[in-house]
Amino acid sequence: AGIAPALDQARASLAAELEARGPREYALVRTLRQALPRDAVLVLDAALINEWLNHAFSVYAPRTYLTPSSSGTLGFALPAALGAQIAFPGRTVVAVVGDGGFLFSAQELATAVKYGLDVIVLLFNDTGFGTIRYFQEEQFGGRIVDAALDNPDFGVFAHSFGCQAHRARDPESLGAVLRQSLSERGANGPRPTLIEVPIAVGYPAH
């Protein structure tokens, strides 16, 4: 009982600091937490948005937050999310990816459709390798090399595999689209869903 007030104060202080650093990024994380069930499994890739999730996303149950941390394993999230969905067929499983990392394993949407794994892929699209671009800007005087991507139309790409696809342009619409996607799960049989968020995310510099 004695340590609880101090913990609450520390959490509140960190939340205020993060919101001040990146109000839009913090709002995205908060929206995601509010829209998902407490036992949802979140599977992260190497992406800028996941730096914010590591700082600000509240985790309420064990084995519900799977992250490669700083290993830089681009492409990890989608296949790992499929494994999590097989392990927990009744739970909501969300893979959070950037556009660069997603393209390392995007073909696994075919696996998800084939085996009826209704994972949700939350794709943050900043048309590039955002973390690489950030460090090139910070450490190399803004000299950007091979950090930009020429992406497909991700909605058309997802539909071509038989997935559902939506787009959310801000935290408010992300919450609405997530809730819609959760309500649709299983309505027409299990199908994966891709939600594209065409937003550039900043780095939560210390």
Side-chain angles (χ1 to χ4, degrees), residues 47-58:
L48 275 176
I49 186 61
N50 294 330
E51 295 290 340
W52 289 91
L53 288 165
N54 286 335
H55 284 78
F57 188 80
S58 297

Side-chain angles (χ1 to χ4, degrees), residues 14 74 86 91 110 112 124 134 158 178-179 193:
L14 176 61
L74 287 162
I86 291 170
R91 303 257 286 274
F124 285 80
Y134 168 79
L178 266 173
R179 285 186 287 272
T193 298

Side-chain angles (χ1 to χ4, degrees), residues 11 26 29 33 38 42 53 55-61 64-65:
R11 289 190 185 103
Y26 185 78
V29 174
R33 179 66 278 178
R38 289 173 70 95
L42 207 65
L53 288 165
H55 284 78
F57 188 80
S58 297
V59 179
Y60 299 120
T64 59
Y65 190 81

Side-chain angles (χ1 to χ4, degrees), residues 102-103 106-107 109 152-163 165 194:
F102 175 66
L103 289 173
Q107 72 279 1
L109 289 178
D153 182 317
F154 285 112
V156 173
F157 182 83
H159 282 305
S160 73
F161 285 97
C163 303
L194 184 142

Side-chain angles (χ1 to χ4, degrees), residues 33-187:
R33 179 66 278 178
Q34 291 172 347
L36 293 176
R38 289 173 70 95
D39 67 347
V41 179
L42 207 65
V43 187
L44 278 56
D45 212 82
L48 275 176
I49 186 61
N50 294 330
E51 295 290 340
W52 289 91
L53 288 165
N54 286 335
H55 284 78
F57 188 80
S58 297
V59 179
Y60 299 120
R63 300 183 181 89
T64 59
Y65 190 81
L66 310 181
T67 173
S69 188
S70 299
S71 300
T73 47
L74 287 162
F76 165 81
L78 178 54
L82 301 187
Q85 192 70 81
I86 291 170
F88 301 106
R91 303 257 286 274
T92 298
V93 177
V94 180
V96 185
V97 300
D99 48 324
F102 175 66
L103 289 173
F104 272 63
S105 57
Q107 72 279 1
E108 295 304 333
L109 289 178
T111 305
V113 171
K114 179 178 181 179
Y115 292 103
L117 303 173
D118 51 354
V119 298
I120 295 174
V121 179
L122 189 57
L123 166 63
F124 285 80
N125 179 8
D126 62 358
T127 64
F129 294 106
T131 304
I132 293 171
R133 183 165 51 207
Y134 168 79
F135 284 113
Q136 287 181 347
E137 290 172 347
E138 290 293 308
Q139 298 178 16
F140 299 99
R143 297 190 299 277
I144 309 300
V145 178
D146 290 334
L149 290 170
D150 295 315
N151 287 325
D153 182 317
F154 285 112
V156 173
F157 182 83
H159 282 305
S160 73
F161 285 97
C163 303
Q164 300 183 91
H166 303 289
R167 178 175 288 189
R169 293 190 172 276
D170 51 49
E172 293 75 20
S173 61
L174 174 59
V177 169
L178 266 173
R179 285 186 287 272
Q180 176 188 344
S181 298
L182 290 170
S183 69
E184 289 173 348
R185 293 179 84 230

